[in-house]
Amino acid sequence: MRGHKPLRAIAARAFRVRAMLAALWLSALGPIALAQNEAIPPPKDTIFARKIVMATIDMNMDEVETMLAPGGKLNDADAREHLDAISVLLMAFPHLFPPGTNQWKPGADRDPALDTFASPELWTTFPDFYKRGGSASNIAFEASRAKRVNDFKSLVAELRGACNSCHASYLKTE
């Protein structure tokens, strides 16, 4: 029986050490969880960020379409660079629509910079919106890699169509 006492003491001590480590671990999680909540930007900041992304997509698209317009001069390297940027931005774009930014209110006085013009349907059919962003991103990427001018022009027109279709479905103009 004497041999069992040290084993019980060791087991009891191991239990206390584990309990203390568990308590320390749990106490460390509290501030991390609070910091994560503080790290979530306010909805208006996220809405502003997506407006910046959309404006950048639009600016790059305008550059490419200007090169393709009658009298425009197609600079292959510049056009590819613009389309690569569009592709990356469109891939990230749907991630700028967390549920907290679903703030459309009919007839509200909206700040064009900070208030959303995204239709509430975007969130109820988010998988469609997400798929459209990925598809448009792929079109922009394919256009940036097109070998023939006619393929390039066709893909840029397809990209414009994808953008316009998404805006028709998910952008409020009220």
Side-chain angles (χ1 to χ4, degrees), residues 49-165:
R50 72 181 179 224
K51 287 177 183 251
I52 292 169
V53 169
M54 181 56 71
T56 304
I57 292 169
D58 188 50
M59 178 191 67
N60 279 282
M61 193 68 182
D62 284 349
E63 290 291 326
V64 172
E65 289 175 327
T66 298
M67 289 180 206
L68 296 176
K73 182 172 177 358
L74 179 60
N75 180 320
D76 196 44
D78 281 350
R80 290 181 190 285
E81 187 175 318
H82 288 298
L83 287 161
D84 277 336
I86 292 169
S87 177
V88 170
L89 292 169
L90 284 170
M91 193 181 310
F93 193 62
H95 300 277
L96 295 173
F97 288 83
T101 63
N102 180 5
Q103 299 186 347
W104 175 262
K105 292 180 183 90
D109 185 26
R110 277 179 280 290
D111 179 340
L114 300 176
D115 291 322
T116 190
F117 286 83
S119 168
E121 288 78 24
L122 182 147
W123 288 273
T124 60
T125 59
F126 191 81
D128 176 66
F129 177 70
Y130 190 85
K131 182 179 173 187
R132 286 175 185 245
S135 177
S137 173
N138 287 335
I139 295 166
F141 180 78
E142 285 179 41
S144 75
R145 303 300 187 264
K147 303 264 188 252
R148 297 183 339 205
V149 173
N150 285 342
D151 293 340
F152 180 79
K153 288 179 179 181
S154 174
L155 287 164
V156 168
E158 187 178 346
L159 177 59
R160 173 51 70 197
C163 292
N164 290 345
S165 170

Side-chain angles (χ1 to χ4, degrees), residues 11-33:
R13 181 178 173 164
F15 177 78
R16 285 191 304 271
V17 168
R18 281 192 215 115
M20 186 171 54
L21 288 173
L24 286 171
W25 184 73
L26 288 173
S27 68
L29 288 180
I32 291 171

